[in-house]
Amino acid sequence: MIRKFHITTFGCQMNEHDSEIIAGLLTEDGYVETDNRDDADVVIINTCSIRENADKRFFGTLGQLKKRKEREEDLMVCVCGCMMQQQHIIDTIKAKYPWVDVIFGTHNIDAFPRLLRNAYSEKTKQREILEGGGDIVEGLPAIRKFKSKALVNIMYGCNNFCTYCIVPYTRGRERSRSPEAIVDEVRKLVSDGVKEVMLLGQNVNSYSGGDTDFAGLIYMLNDIEGLERIRFMTSHPKDLSDRLIKAYVDCDKLCKNIHLPVQAGSSAVLKRMNRHYDREKYLSLVEKLKEAVPGITISTDIIVGFPGETEEDFEETLSLVRQVEYDSAFTFLYSVRKGTPAERYEDQIPEEVKHERFNRLVELINGISARKNRAYEGRVEKVLVEGPGKTGENIYSGRTDGFKLVNFYSEKDLTGETVDIEITRGKTFSLEGRLV
Ligand code: SAH
Ligand code: SF4
Ligand code: F3S
């Protein structure tokens, strides 16, 4: 009997890539992936814990699965990801959802096939979580979502301990892969048809593979024949070196785009967040980038309502956003995370104040995004086509070098190709264009 599996993935690219590996491992073991969760014999939920909403969505999903589990004894429910690295979550699952069959964490994805086999053969619950990240396991298979672009982990974990953030607790300390292993993987991907790689890490620019730093790795990858684009995510402002800025100038494949989370515009707030830079330092980095790399697109993450954030602090965030003129920004309401230092900070901000500030910020950002996108009208951009778009029949979508989403009409399926598109309309979150 061929068993079908389905993975629900919450969270960041890191988790998306982990899910690609889980799919690869199960496929090697003879399972077949299905798009329909209701049709799957093995249901996997890869969880995120970055904000309270993420936790809630997981428990909501488990709630939905409960009825099916009661009806179908053979259904395997497996849960993994960042939430599983927290003891209070495991305790909750044991108490309220004891029917979950397999639990594993972020440090032992490779153990999953074995745990699943045991769950089937022994008919017992399998729970295996490792506290910290051990040695990096190389060579795990992956089933990629896109043909033309691939996610490539270059480092794992985070050492920064921003005071609001759960990630250092769920992903452990920083560990970098060797540059040889990365170059090897990218070469293989390219021979498989991949044109663009997204280098992944919670803090990619603190990458350290022996004598090779992050900029050094970019130079190495830039030499790979057949590769067209290199991107990375996420870089921390404190580790943005002059060498990396120079790599933008020297390496033609490095896309002229950076995601540079600022989190807040007030130096006092940044200090309490333990970000290791202040407003002036961040703004000077942006100036340097804009000067060295004309036309570079910049996006960011911002947290609204961090404990103790005053109206004046918040206005400093607004003024920083006006000054940088971000192409886009992800905005978040501060969410208390169990076990983080900020959980114990006094002056937690009332929800209604957070929401009011959040709305003002989003309005400002959207206005800037729309204005910047309108400036693309009439320009011709190289677009790497990702596949059919969501806005209609014969509409395809892809990304510009600067990571702008472009929708355009084509009779022919151009998935995986790089095409010239004349931009006809700039909207808040995307561009429209026509094939040249
Ligand atoms: N490693 C990346 C970010 C990973 S988490 C970096 O440092 O840039 C993605 C974003 O979630 C963060 O940049 C932050 O803006 C947001 N975030 C993290 N913890 C949060 C919390 N407790 N409440 C609200 N937003 C949070
Ligand atoms: Fe979290 Fe800060 Fe690490 Fe990013 S750098 S993952 S925000 S602790
Ligand atoms: Fe979420 Fe874990 Fe990523 S907490 S944001 S899935 S590293």
Side-chain angles (χ1 to χ4, degrees), residues 158-162 164-168 202-203 236 263 275:
C158 182
N159 289 351
N160 290 327
F161 291 94
C162 302
Y164 50 81
C165 186
I166 198 76
V167 172
Q202 288 300 346
N203 183 8
H236 193 298
Q263 312 300 0
R275 289 291 290 180

Side-chain angles (χ1 to χ4, degrees), residues 253-272:
K253 293 173 186 173
L254 183 58
C255 290
K256 296 191 175 14
N257 162 248
I258 190 165
H259 185 66
L260 196 62
V262 64
Q263 312 300 0
S266 142
S267 294
V269 172
L270 287 169
K271 193 161 183 28
R272 286 202 302 281

Side-chain angles (χ1 to χ4, degrees), residues 379-394:
R379 283 202 226 168
V380 174
E381 290 278 324
K382 288 235 171 304
V383 171
L384 179 57
V385 185
E386 291 177 359
K390 292 184 184 127
T391 52
E393 214 174 309
N394 288 335

Side-chain angles (χ1 to χ4, degrees), residues 144-246:
R144 281 180 287 109
K145 236 167 117 192
F146 295 98
K147 256 197 90 57
S148 55
K149 60 173 198 178
L151 303 168
V152 176
N153 249 314
I154 63 165
M155 50 113 54
Y156 300 87
C158 182
N159 289 351
N160 290 327
F161 291 94
C162 302
T163 52
Y164 50 81
C165 186
I166 198 76
V167 172
Y169 310 92
T170 65
R171 294 273 169 176
R173 296 293 67 70
E174 285 179 9
R175 286 146 289 144
S176 293
R177 291 175 70 193
S178 77
E180 294 78 21
I182 297 165
V183 169
D184 228 44
E185 179 177 347
V186 174
R187 280 225 174 86
K188 285 204 188 93
L189 288 167
V190 169
S191 68
D192 218 28
V194 165
K195 294 181 171 173
E196 174 182 311
V197 289
M198 168 81 88
L199 308 178
L200 290 184
Q202 288 300 346
N203 183 8
V204 280
N205 44 358
S206 75
Y207 172 84
S208 166
D211 295 335
T212 310
D213 65 356
F214 183 59
L217 181 68
I218 302 272
Y219 281 92
M220 285 167 86
L221 296 173
N222 197 61
D223 284 339
I224 295 181
E225 214 172 303
L227 183 65
E228 289 181 17
R229 287 178 170 180
I230 304 167
R231 302 186 186 282
F232 57 82
M233 184 134 179
T234 303
S235 50
H236 193 298
K238 81 171 167 46
D239 296 310
L240 193 122
S241 65
D242 288 344
R243 260 172 68 71
L244 180 58
I245 297 179
K246 182 142 190 307

Side-chain angles (χ1 to χ4, degrees), residues 91-106:
D91 294 342
T92 306
I93 296 178
K94 282 184 182 163
K96 291 196 182 156
Y97 310 88
W99 43 268
V100 166
D101 299 286
V102 179
I103 306 179
F104 60 102
T106 58

Side-chain angles (χ1 to χ4, degrees), residues 109-158:
I109 291 177
D110 54 310
F112 179 42
R114 169 174 54 80
L115 297 172
L116 186 56
R117 273 196 299 274
N118 291 350
Y120 273 118
S121 62
E122 295 169 14
K123 297 203 180 320
T124 53
K125 304 294 175 207
Q126 302 288 317
R127 290 170 181 149
E128 196 173 291
I129 313 282
L130 305 184
E131 281 271 321
D135 290 340
I136 295 171
V137 184
E138 288 290 350
L140 295 179
I143 303 276
R144 281 180 287 109
K145 236 167 117 192
F146 295 98
K147 256 197 90 57
S148 55
K149 60 173 198 178
L151 303 168
V152 176
N153 249 314
I154 63 165
M155 50 113 54
Y156 300 87
C158 182

